[in-house]
Amino acid sequence: MNVSQYISHKIDGADAGSFTSSVTKIAIISIAMGLAVMVVSFAILEGFRNEIQNKIFSFGSHLQISKYDTNNSLEAEPIGQPQLMRELRADPQVATIQPFARKTAIIKTKDEVLGVVIKGIDEKTSPSSMRQNLAAGKFITFSDSAASNDVLVSRKVADKLRLKVGDKALFYFIQSPPRVRQFVVSGIYQTGLDEFDEAFVIGDIRQIRDLNAWPDTLVGGLEVTLNDFNRLDPVADNLYENLRYDLKLDKITEQYVQLFEWLKLLNRNVVIFLVLIIFVATFNMVATIFIMILERTNMIGVLKAIGATDNQIRSMFFFRGLSLTVRGILWGNLIGLGFCAIQYYLHVIPLDPENYYMDRVPIHWDWTIILLLNAATFFTSLLAVLIPTYLISRIKPVAAIKFD
């Protein structure tokens, strides 16, 4: 331990009960609460983003490939899947490929009638994220010999049609000739997103093939999930360049642009909020060191009179500020991570799914962001410590000793 560290340690004990002691406690609390709020804010923001994105991806994946059609119809012309799937699997950026088909229908019960879109999925490649949206019942039971009659309806559709798990409903398909099928509600899903909950019913893709008289090699389109969603744009451009002229490629961010724009807006608001928090914590630290220097002006004059250099005295206050910063960061992590852990495991803060798309405040553990927040708080606080210490070079020993 050098002289500056030794004197800094002694000051720490000598300040107990003084005005400086109260100010240092405020500085520690400011750093701790600032870091805690940043950790919690980012954990909740990332939780919201992941929850919303997973709900969207469960219905649309990252990219959709379908037949080019100027009518913008929900019932796209079929495309052949074997050759196209082989080409897509050869791309190292592609994680999974999900065949799908859509068909509009009218559901009729004893008392209600409602128009919906049936999305047919394949048993072998049905996304696991879709199963996480189940609110009641079970997922579709696929059969090896025939198309399954099970369907999943949303909570909103079930409430409008007064359907429960196990109920049967007639689906009318407007085509030539018109067709009608009876399906069984095997489960009820809930995403909280009106774009899906008010329109989609999930069923077996083989039912749509039978209705459209398609062979097993034809599908309505392919949903492609990438290994890294952050590389969506460059991968999409590369895949599009290699597609046949009669196919189109849609990015999920363009299909549901309002949802992704909302997520971007959340990001901007949180960044502004965090800048304000860091500014307040930095200001408090600067004020704390200024007060410490003013209270120790006599001591600084004595140290200079006996030969101490400005750098040595500056280091003394630097180590004092370093001690406050470290304590503030430790308490901030304890408070922030503790709150996140309680919410993550106990779900103490609920939400209204009608307004927030989920039933509880979500928490996402991103240790890279947490470490970056700690590093930003640490270095910003140390910079704040250094600024007022340059006042020491302007203090004259004779005047400082007489200072009262």
Side-chain angles (χ1 to χ4, degrees), residues 5 8 285 289 316-328 378 381-382 385:
Q5 287 178 295
S8 175
M285 181 59 74
I289 300 301
M316 179 182 70
F317 286 97
F318 174 80
F319 287 122
R320 185 77 175 93
L322 177 62
S323 174
L324 300 179
T325 300
V326 171
R327 277 186 277 179
F378 180 77
S381 298
L382 289 188
V385 169

Side-chain angles (χ1 to χ4, degrees), residues 173-235:
F173 298 92
I174 310 302
Q175 59 184 73
S176 182
R179 306 284 289 276
V180 61
R181 294 283 174 92
Q182 180 175 264
F183 294 133
V184 179
V185 178
S186 65
I188 296 175
Y189 73 85
Q190 184 176 15
T191 66
L193 301 174
D194 291 343
E195 288 82 354
F196 307 126
D197 290 352
E198 292 187 350
F200 283 97
V201 171
I202 309 301
D204 190 340
I205 193 174
R206 289 176 293 183
Q207 290 284 3
I208 297 179
R209 285 196 182 114
D210 291 343
L211 290 166
N212 292 337
W214 292 350
D216 292 344
T217 56
L218 294 183
V219 295
L222 297 176
E223 294 177 340
V224 181
T225 303
L226 307 180
N227 290 313
D228 185 2
F229 176 67
N230 294 323
R231 301 197 70 249
L232 177 67
D233 291 335
V235 174

